[in-house]
Amino acid sequence: MTSVSRIPVAVLGATGAVGQAFVRQLADHPWFVLAEVAASERSVGKVYRDAARWLEGTLPADVAGLVVQPCTPDSVRAPIVFSALDSGVAGEVEAAFAQAGRLVLSNAKNFRMHDDVPLVIPEVNGDHLALLARQQELRGWAGAIVTNANCAATVIAAALAPLHEAFTVTKVVAVTMQAVSGAGYPGVPSLDILGNVIPYIGDEEPKIETELGKLLGRYANGTITPAAITVSAHANRVPVEHGHTVCLTVGFERAPSVAEALDVLRAWRGHAGVAGLPSAPASALTVRDEPDRPQPRRDVQEGRGMGVTVGRVRADTLLDLRLVAMAHNVVRGAAGGSVLNAELLVASGVVHRETGALQLGALPGTP
Ligand code: NAP
């Protein structure tokens, strides 16, 4: 058997909560090798083990000694760049990398809603990656930017995608219970969150309300037509370490019975080509029958943090159905989702399997 070399990749914002999740997700990855880490001036020039306050598990030895680089395309050379940057800086930095010919997989909000930028959860709308051809045409970048969704929007979109495909979702009320790790590190002060619930997360509700339509929208001829769904979101911070839980009340064009909804959720496999990728969970969705699941403590590690668990599917008194969905915000909702996007691009030939070079001609619909 011939051995295939791994593609060098970099993480921008590598010292933060999501950056560290990238380091864990990329450890021993079969296709990618983490070759460079970058962060703010505060960290530049330090070795990673000194710059990052390592939060979870064992820091991989081959990353511990990497010297933290500035977030510029001259300093960071990898063809694939995972960005865990704060949104205050992500816009300018990610555009500079895309202009310099790199594939940027971003977790920040800056480009998510741009018409020519794919906002992708691979199982839900992997076909939206085709938008990259339009992005290149419009922007003339040698590289490209692909984004993944807000972490709560990710949970909601994954739970609703099968139901939307089958019955057309029209209205959603989403009440979130979001983990503290969603606020980064050091995040929310302990005296604000211990034994408490904070009924406000800055800028979160508008992200949930706008991103869902794009995520569940249809791609055709270089355009996404957003799904016509009215969303009302209540975002709450709760004293949970990892795992965003969302209570959903949903209205449909054709209301399913509870049994029909459960059948559709159980049968859902998601976008073809995702199953079997290195970071893909064994099941795109896990449906629990127990009346008290999903729970972050019991279910957050489903599919090595990449699973989305749903339960409590029942009839509703105001709209049609109620259900609860939960997933790991830092893995499924951030770093793991980004790595899965990159894997899908490699598997579909849009990124060269050995060099990491972009080959946009491999996208469906390109001449
Ligand atoms: P975080 O823990 O605060 O980390 C922020 C990272 O950005 C750090 O590595 C920091 O480096 C770097 N940074 C800050 N200012 C910079 C600058 N001027 N130049 C270069 N690097 C700079 O935040 P996080 O939770 O990891 O979130 C990162 C991004 O992911 C955000 O855009 C967030 O909205 C998004 N996101 C987070 C989650 C989640 O669950 N946490 C989920 C989805 C998306 P230093 O350590 O050197 O300061």
Side-chain angles (χ1 to χ4, degrees), residues 13-19 39-40 42-43 71 84-87 89 107-108 112 149 151 181-185 329-330 333-334:
T15 49
V18 174
S40 78
R42 185 190 71 78
S43 310
C71 291
L85 286 172
D86 188 84
S87 60
V89 289
N107 279 275
R112 284 181 189 149
C151 36
S181 59
Y185 187 82
N329 49 295
V330 187

Coordinates of all heavy atoms in Angstrom, one line a residue, residues 13-19 39-40 42-43 71 84-87 89 107-108 112 149 151 181-185 329-330 333-334, ligand 1:
G13 N -6.0 31.8 15.8 CA -6.7 31.8 17.0 C -6.6 30.5 17.8 O -7.5 30.1 18.5
A14 N -5.4 29.9 17.6 CA -5.2 28.6 18.2 C -5.2 28.5 19.7 O -5.3 27.4 20.2 CB -3.9 28.0 17.6
T15 N -5.0 29.6 20.3 CA -4.9 29.6 21.8 C -6.3 29.6 22.5 O -6.3 29.3 23.7 CB -4.1 30.8 22.3 OG1 -4.6 32.0 21.6 CG2 -2.6 30.7 21.9
G16 N -7.3 30.0 21.8 CA -8.6 30.1 22.4 C -9.4 28.8 22.6 O -8.8 27.7 22.3
A17 N -10.6 28.9 23.1 CA -11.4 27.7 23.3 C -11.6 26.8 22.0 O -11.4 25.6 22.0 CB -12.8 28.0 23.9
V18 N -12.0 27.5 21.0 CA -12.2 26.8 19.7 C -10.9 26.4 19.1 O -10.7 25.3 18.6 CB -13.1 27.7 18.7 CG1 -13.2 27.0 17.4 CG2 -14.4 28.0 19.3
G19 N -9.9 27.3 19.2 CA -8.6 26.9 18.7 C -8.0 25.7 19.3 O -7.5 24.8 18.6
A39 N -1.9 33.4 16.6 CA -2.8 34.1 17.5 C -2.5 35.5 17.6 O -1.8 36.1 16.6 CB -2.8 33.4 18.9
S40 N -2.9 36.2 18.7 CA -2.7 37.7 18.8 C -1.2 38.0 19.1 O -0.5 37.1 19.5 CB -3.6 38.2 19.8 OG -3.1 38.0 21.1
R42 N -0.3 39.1 21.8 CA 0.0 38.6 23.1 C 0.7 37.3 23.2 O 1.5 37.0 24.0 CB -1.4 38.5 23.8 CG -1.4 38.1 25.3 CD -2.8 37.8 25.7 NE -3.3 36.5 25.2 CZ -2.9 35.3 25.6 NH1 -2.1 35.2 26.7 NH2 -3.4 34.2 25.1
S43 N 0.5 36.5 22.1 CA 1.0 35.1 22.1 C 2.1 34.9 21.1 O 2.9 33.9 21.3 CB -0.1 34.2 21.7 OG -1.3 34.4 22.5
C71 N -1.0 36.3 12.7 CA -2.1 35.9 11.8 C -1.9 36.6 10.4 O -2.8 37.4 10.0 CB -3.4 36.1 12.4 SG -3.8 35.1 13.8
A84 N -10.2 30.2 14.1 CA -11.0 30.3 15.4 C -10.8 31.7 15.9 O -10.6 31.9 17.1 CB -10.5 29.3 16.4
L85 N -10.8 32.7 15.0 CA -10.5 34.1 15.5 C -11.7 34.7 16.0 O -12.9 34.5 15.5 CB -10.0 34.9 14.3 CG -8.5 34.6 13.8 CD1 -8.3 35.4 12.5 CD2 -7.6 35.0 14.9
D86 N -11.5 35.6 16.9 CA -12.5 36.5 17.4 C -13.1 37.3 16.2 O -12.3 37.7 15.3 CB -11.8 37.4 18.4 CG -12.8 38.3 19.1 OD1 -13.3 37.8 20.1 OD2 -13.0 39.4 18.7
S87 N -14.4 37.6 16.2 CA -15.0 38.3 15.0 C -14.5 39.7 14.9 O -14.5 40.3 13.8 CB -16.5 38.3 15.1 OG -16.9 39.0 16.3
V89 N -11.5 40.6 14.6 CA -10.4 40.6 13.7 C -10.6 39.7 12.5 O -9.8 39.8 11.5 CB -9.1 40.2 14.4 CG1 -8.6 41.3 15.3 CG2 -9.2 38.9 15.2
N107 N -14.9 30.1 11.7 CA -16.0 30.0 12.7 C -16.6 31.3 13.1 O -17.5 31.3 13.9 CB -15.3 29.4 14.0 CG -15.2 27.9 13.8 OD1 -16.1 27.2 14.1 ND2 -14.1 27.4 13.3
A108 N -16.1 32.4 12.5 CA -16.6 33.7 12.9 C -17.8 34.1 12.1 O -18.1 33.5 11.0 CB -15.5 34.7 12.7
R112 N -20.5 34.9 7.2 CA -21.5 33.8 7.1 C -22.7 34.2 6.2 O -23.2 33.3 5.4 CB -22.1 33.5 8.5 CG -21.2 32.7 9.3 CD -21.9 32.4 10.7 NE -21.0 31.8 11.6 CZ -21.1 32.0 12.9 NH1 -22.0 32.8 13.4 NH2 -20.2 31.4 13.7
A149 N -21.7 27.5 10.9 CA -22.8 28.3 11.5 C -22.5 28.6 12.9 O -21.7 27.9 13.6 CB -24.1 27.6 11.3
C151 N -23.1 28.2 16.8 CA -23.2 26.9 17.4 C -24.6 26.5 17.8 O -25.0 25.4 17.6 CB -22.3 26.8 18.6 SG -22.1 28.4 19.6
S181 N -18.8 27.3 27.7 CA -17.7 27.2 26.8 C -18.0 27.9 25.4 O -17.1 28.3 24.7 CB -17.3 25.8 26.5 OG -18.3 25.0 25.9
G182 N -19.3 28.2 25.2 CA -19.7 28.9 24.0 C -19.2 30.4 24.1 O -19.2 31.1 23.0
A183 N -18.8 30.9 25.2 CA -18.4 32.2 25.4 C -16.8 32.3 25.3 O -16.3 33.4 25.6 CB -18.9 32.8 26.7
G184 N -16.2 31.2 24.9 CA -14.7 31.3 24.8 C -14.1 31.2 26.2 O -14.7 30.9 27.2
Y185 N -12.7 31.4 26.2 CA -12.0 31.4 27.5 C -11.3 32.7 27.7 O -10.7 33.3 26.8 CB -10.9 30.3 27.4 CG -10.3 30.1 28.8 CD1 -10.9 29.3 29.8 CD2 -9.1 30.8 29.1 CE1 -10.3 29.2 31.0 CE2 -8.5 30.7 30.3 CZ -9.1 29.9 31.3 OH -8.6 29.8 32.5
N329 N -21.1 22.3 21.5 CA -21.0 23.6 20.9 C -19.6 23.8 20.3 O -19.4 24.4 19.3 CB -21.4 24.7 21.8 CG -20.7 24.6 23.2 OD1 -21.0 23.7 23.9 ND2 -19.8 25.5 23.5
V330 N -18.6 23.3 21.0 CA -17.2 23.6 20.6 C -16.7 22.6 19.5 O -15.9 22.9 18.7 CB -16.2 23.6 21.8 CG1 -14.8 24.1 21.3 CG2 -16.7 24.5 22.9
G333 N -20.4 22.3 16.9 CA -20.8 23.6 16.6 C -19.6 24.5 16.2 O -19.8 25.7 15.9
A334 N -18.4 24.0 16.2 CA -17.3 24.9 15.8 C -16.1 24.1 15.2 O -16.2 23.8 14.0 CB -16.8 25.6 17.1
Ligands
NAP1 P1 -11.6 32.8 22.6 O1 -11.5 31.7 23.5 O2 -11.8 34.2 23.2 O3 -10.3 32.8 21.6 C1 -10.1 33.9 20.7 C2 -8.8 33.6 19.9 O4 -8.6 34.7 19.0 C3 -7.5 33.5 20.7 O5 -6.7 32.5 20.1 C4 -6.9 34.9 20.6 O6 -5.5 34.9 20.7 C5 -7.3 35.2 19.1 N1 -7.3 36.7 18.9 C6 -8.0 37.6 19.6 N2 -7.6 38.9 19.1 C7 -6.8 38.7 18.1 C8 -6.1 39.5 17.2 N3 -6.2 40.9 17.3 N4 -5.2 39.0 16.3 C9 -5.0 37.7 16.2 N5 -5.7 36.8 17.1 C10 -6.5 37.3 18.0 O7 -12.9 32.6 21.6 P2 -13.5 31.2 21.1 O8 -14.7 30.8 21.9 O9 -12.4 30.3 20.8 O10 -14.2 31.7 19.7 C11 -13.4 31.9 18.5 C12 -14.4 32.2 17.4 O11 -15.2 31.1 17.2 C13 -15.3 33.4 17.6 O12 -15.5 34.1 16.4 C14 -16.6 32.8 18.1 O13 -17.7 33.6 17.8 C15 -16.6 31.5 17.2 N6 -17.4 30.4 17.8 C16 -17.2 29.9 19.1 C17 -17.9 28.8 19.5 C18 -17.8 28.3 20.9 O14 -18.6 27.4 21.3 N7 -16.9 28.8 21.7 C19 -18.8 28.2 18.7 C20 -18.9 28.6 17.3 C21 -18.2 29.7 16.9 P3 -4.7 35.3 22.1 O15 -4.9 34.1 23.0 O16 -3.3 35.5 21.6 O17 -5.4 36.5 22.6

